[in-house]
Amino acid sequence: MAGAQFVDIWINCPDRAIAERIAEAAVGDRLAACANVFPQISSVYRWKGAVERADEIPLLLKARSAHFEAIVELAKSIHPYETPSIGATELVAIDAGYADWLAAETREP
């Protein structure tokens, strides 16, 4: 399978509960095969003209590229931020067995 069929999707969340709700919904709906909820990080960012700081929980979803927009829609329906950080990295090189697992654990696009 070509690697670009799959992505890792990174979403910064305001707390662990939001990260876990998004993770459970994405995996439960078979949009993602797996979710990693990371420990808290400190973020510094510019928002509406000011430099802000916040503690956030990173969430990493492993999914098919074709499910990116559905995952964005799902995440935004749960996420409280006006403009959440949601980005995908294409997996251009991926182990064949892992690719098969990702395909088996996510629904067809």
Side-chain angles (χ1 to χ4, degrees), residues 47-90:
W47 181 248
K48 297 186 178 183
V51 175
E52 303 285 343
R53 295 178 178 273
D55 291 331
E56 297 181 300
I57 301 295
L59 171 63
L60 183 66
L61 301 173
K62 288 96 182 282
R64 294 178 190 242
S65 301
H67 293 317
F68 178 74
E69 291 303 326
I71 289 171
V72 168
E73 185 177 315
L74 171 75
K76 285 182 171 183
S77 75
I78 296 169
H79 206 295
Y81 289 0
E82 182 179 333
T83 307
S85 168
I86 305 172
T89 302
E90 289 185 347

Side-chain angles (χ1 to χ4, degrees), residues 12 41-47 50-56:
N12 280 346
I41 60 169
S42 295
S43 296
V44 178
Y45 56 94
R46 181 170 292 282
W47 181 248
V51 175
E52 303 285 343
R53 295 178 178 273
D55 291 331
E56 297 181 300

